[in-house]
Structures are given as structure tokens and as C-alpha cells.
Amino acid sequence: MKQSTMGIWVAGALLAMSTAALADTVVKIGFSSPLSGPQAHYGKDNENAAKMAIDDLNAKPITIAGQKVKFELVSEDDQADPRIGTQVAQRLVDAGVKAVIGHYNSGVSIPASRIYADAGVPQLSVSTNPAYTQSGYKTTFRLVGSDSQIGGALGRYAIQQLKAQRIAVIDDRTAYGQGIADEFIKAVQGMGKKPVRREFTSDKATDFTAILTSLKAVAPDVIFYGGADAQAAPMAKQMKRLGINAHLMGGDMLNTPTFIQLAGPDAAGHFAAVAGSELSARPAGKDFEARYKARFKQEIISLGPQFYDGVMLVADAMKRANSTEPGKFLPMIANTTYKGVTADFSFDGSGNLKKAPVTISAVENNDWKVKSTVY
């Protein structure tokens, strides 16, 4: 090789090495929620917030192990279906994601958690069924309180604040619906009361006339529903039509603008609880809410802010570990003390959020009004 040719080759190699050194390291973060079907409004809310987090991180690039990092969100639609959820989980692992923020539904998160655990990929979820963190996986973290906390808070509120004497319970037979209904009943029984009736329905049902007509005979003053807003709204309307003067209560899947839109005037006076503090009460909450509304031209639906926090928490763990490899930053998640938009995050040995706040609200003047926040 001639000297001039050798010089060109060396210069080219050095330029390539220099360019490689300057190139961003792309870090894929997995996301999954129902993005189609009757629960798509929850999923799009979650995805919007996760995208906000990715954009916020990329707007002020961070350097890890000497390399600038560019984050990329890999979104999947699990359709709130456990079978599809496990397929999605495998696709995310195969895509090389470093962490997963999701899934939304407990019935999807629980079977998917094994796939992430086998791959050593951290999973941060808003799923509330206690079973989600009871498998002993070191990769599993819950970004909100569990059904024990949410259902328990609602049960105590029904007895102590609403002075309920005759409580009926309905659930949609999903892992979420059954789980939160069970915990609500435990809390009610712990206060010395016993539900007068428990009924079951489907997460696809919209006609509850038969169940409600049966319940009317026992004159409930509270009806607890474990399920989503798409079923709770027609239930509220049918309660009104049948002359059932009871408060409808439910968890975070009921506490949405969609419930009010679908139920109309019949939404008034009903209660729901969400995992987390009122956003306006958090130092960064007001700013997040304003930015979300300005960008997406809509209200926050439900737990999107927790998905934002999940992405940011993972990035913070990577910075502290100075690594984007799950094996290196996973211990940093387990030992985090991250101050997020929705909570101060730290986890117990099972991956449950410590000191998880629960906010109880009621529909007044066509809006959700906070009544109580408990820990």
C-alpha cells in the first residue's frame, strides 16, 4: 500500500472512530397499553404521557458512560387482552428494550411479568392487583398503590364518611375488577359491615337492568363497581332510571372524564378513587398538567402521569448507574428515592410503592372534585 493511500485510510478510520464516538446511543424503552378497543382512551392517555417523558429527556440529552443518549419509545397495543399481552411482551424483549412501562391492566401485566423477568428487563406498571408483585420477580415494580390500598380506602370512606348501611358489590370478573372489589369488601368487613349482595357481570356488558332490578329490592345506599368507565356510565344511567338512589363507587378506571361524558347528568354524586395525589398538590404536577393539555388538547384521562414518571424514573436509574444495561441499573430502581410528578417513589422488597397516596373524588358540577387524600 502506498504511503499516500495509507494516510487516506488512517485518516478515514480516525474520522469514522470520531464520528462513532460522537453518535448518540439509542436506548429503547418499551410501552404497552390498550391502544384499540373500548379501553383505548386509557391507553392513548398513557402513551401521550410516555411520549412527553421521552421528548423531555431528549430535549436535554443526558450522557451515560461517556455517550450521549437518545431515548426511543417502542409502543405496543395489548388490547387489554392477556393472550395478546404476552405476545407483545415477547416482541418488546426481542426488540431490545431496556425497560418496559406497562401494562395498564392487571390481567395483562401479571402473565407478561414472567417474560420480562426471564429476560431481566425491568417492568414498571400501574396494575393494581396485589398478585402483580407477589411472584418474587426482581424486575417487577408498581408505580401506584395496590387494590388493597385503593379498595380499602373506598371501603372505609363508604362506612365512615357516607355512613353506608346497605352496600352491594358488582365486578366485571377481570383481574382488576375482582381484585379491587375483594379489597373493598375486606375493608367494609373490617369496619363491622357485610355487603348485602355481590353480583358479577362482564367487562363487555352495557345492560345491567336485571342485576340492578334485583339489587333494588335490598335498597342499597352504596353500589361498588369493580370495572371500567364504559360499563360504569350506563350503570349510573340505569340506576337513575330504576329509581335506585345509591352512590356508585369505583376505582381509577371509573375516575375519568369519559365517565362524566357518557353518564351525563346521571354522573353526579358518584365516587371514585385514584392511586396518587392530586396533581395540583405536587410541586411538578401543575406544570405537567398544563403542558399535557397544551400539547394534546385534552384532559388527562387517568394514570398517564404515572407512565411519565415511569419513564423518567428509569432514566434517573440509568444515570445513577452510569449504564443503560438492565443488569446495572435495575438495583438503582429497587433503591430509588425519586421525586416524580405523581409521588415520591421508593419501593419495598416486592416492588410495591411505599407510602402510596390514594385520592377520593366525587362528581360535582360536571367535574371530579377531590374529597380526601389518604396514605
Side-chain angles (χ1 to χ4, degrees), residues 106 110 123-150 183 275 313 333-337 343-357:
S106 296
I110 293 168
Q123 178 192 11
L124 291 80
S125 175
V126 298
S127 295
T128 55
N129 190 298
Y132 170 61
T133 53
Q134 290 174 349
S135 298
Y137 300 142
K138 298 300 182 184
T139 50
T140 301
F141 301 92
R142 195 194 311 276
L143 294 167
V144 295
S146 70
D147 288 336
S148 303
Q149 293 156 306
I150 301 167
E183 296 301 331
L313 194 155
I333 297 177
N335 295 306
T336 195
T337 53
D344 292 342
F345 289 90
S346 60
F347 302 102
D348 66 18
S350 298
N352 294 303
L353 179 63
K354 295 179 181 177
K355 297 181 180 178

Side-chain angles (χ1 to χ4, degrees), residues 149-172:
Q149 293 156 306
I150 301 167
L154 284 165
R156 290 186 292 274
Y157 192 88
I159 301 299
Q160 294 173 335
Q161 304 301 321
L162 300 182
K163 309 300 181 184
Q165 297 297 315
R166 295 174 304 283
I167 297 172
V169 177
I170 307 171
D171 78 66
D172 66 1

Side-chain angles (χ1 to χ4, degrees), residues 53-74:
I54 294 292
D55 291 346
D56 285 353
L57 290 170
N58 290 336
K60 297 178 180 177
I62 63 175
T63 299
I64 297 176
Q67 290 285 107
K68 271 189 178 179
V69 172
K70 180 180 179 182
F71 290 93
E72 178 183 307
L73 193 70
V74 182

Side-chain angles (χ1 to χ4, degrees), residues 13-349:
L14 289 171
L15 178 62
M17 290 171 63
S18 175
T19 302
L22 292 172
D24 292 344
T25 296
V26 176
V27 175
K28 296 179 180 179
I29 303 295
F31 164 89
S32 186
S33 281
L35 299 175
S36 61
Q39 294 189 28
H41 55 301
Y42 298 117
K44 291 303 294 182
D45 180 52
N46 300 338
E47 187 181 44
N48 287 346
K51 285 178 177 177
M52 276 183 63
I54 294 292
D55 291 346
D56 285 353
L57 290 170
N58 290 336
K60 297 178 180 177
I62 63 175
T63 299
I64 297 176
Q67 290 285 107
K68 271 189 178 179
V69 172
K70 180 180 179 182
F71 290 93
E72 178 183 307
L73 193 70
V74 182
S75 291
E76 289 281 358
D77 176 13
D78 59 37
Q79 300 176 41
D81 184 315
R83 180 182 59 83
I84 294 172
T86 54
Q87 296 170 3
V88 160
Q90 192 60 58
R91 282 203 298 271
L92 288 172
V93 168
D94 292 344
V97 301
K98 301 301 185 182
V100 172
I101 316 301
H103 302 240
Y104 179 69
N105 304 86
S106 296
V108 181
S109 281
I110 293 168
S113 64
R114 178 184 59 80
I115 294 170
Y116 301 128
D118 288 346
V121 173
Q123 178 192 11
L124 291 80
S125 175
V126 298
S127 295
T128 55
N129 190 298
Y132 170 61
T133 53
Q134 290 174 349
S135 298
Y137 300 142
K138 298 300 182 184
T139 50
T140 301
F141 301 92
R142 195 194 311 276
L143 294 167
V144 295
S146 70
D147 288 336
S148 303
Q149 293 156 306
I150 301 167
L154 284 165
R156 290 186 292 274
Y157 192 88
I159 301 299
Q160 294 173 335
Q161 304 301 321
L162 300 182
K163 309 300 181 184
Q165 297 297 315
R166 295 174 304 283
I167 297 172
V169 177
I170 307 171
D171 78 66
D172 66 1
R173 292 184 178 271
T174 64
Y176 165 77
Q178 286 185 299
I180 197 167
D182 287 345
E183 296 301 331
F184 175 84
I185 290 171
K186 284 182 188 176
V188 167
Q189 291 174 334
M191 301 293 291
K193 297 288 184 181
K194 183 179 179 181
V196 293
R197 192 80 62 81
R198 181 166 186 175
E199 300 285 349
F200 303 93
T201 185
S202 159
D203 61 343
K204 306 295 189 297
T206 55
D207 185 356
F208 306 99
T209 305
I211 290 175
L212 293 174
T213 299
S214 172
L215 291 182
K216 185 177 180 180
V218 296
D221 41 22
V222 163
I223 296 176
F224 180 88
Y225 178 58
D229 53 10
Q231 288 72 49
M235 188 179 293
K237 293 174 78 72
Q238 290 158 32
M239 286 168 58
K240 185 74 169 181
R241 189 177 71 237
L242 291 168
I244 298 175
N245 297 314
H247 295 292
L248 184 64
M249 300 188 83
D252 52 273
M253 293 185 77
L254 194 153
N255 191 321
T256 68
T258 303
F259 172 75
I260 297 174
Q261 292 162 9
L262 293 176
D266 298 332
H270 298 313
F271 290 78
V274 295
S277 307
E278 187 180 10
L279 276 182
S280 61
R282 297 284 304 170
K286 266 189 171 180
D287 175 67
F288 174 85
E289 188 171 19
R291 291 194 300 121
Y292 182 100
K293 290 178 180 178
R295 177 168 175 176
F296 300 108
K297 305 297 186 288
Q298 68 174 52
E299 298 287 333
I300 294 168
I301 299 295
S302 183
L303 297 177
Q306 279 83 356
F307 277 75
Y308 178 93
D309 277 340
V311 174
M312 300 302 279
L313 194 155
V314 165
D316 179 72
M318 289 177 176
K319 284 192 290 184
R320 289 187 290 118
N322 199 32
S323 175
T324 61
E325 291 307 309
K328 299 279 184 66
F329 72 79
L330 179 59
M332 297 298 176
I333 297 177
N335 295 306
T336 195
T337 53
Y338 180 75
K339 290 186 179 297
V341 167
T342 62
D344 292 342
F345 289 90
S346 60
F347 302 102
D348 66 18

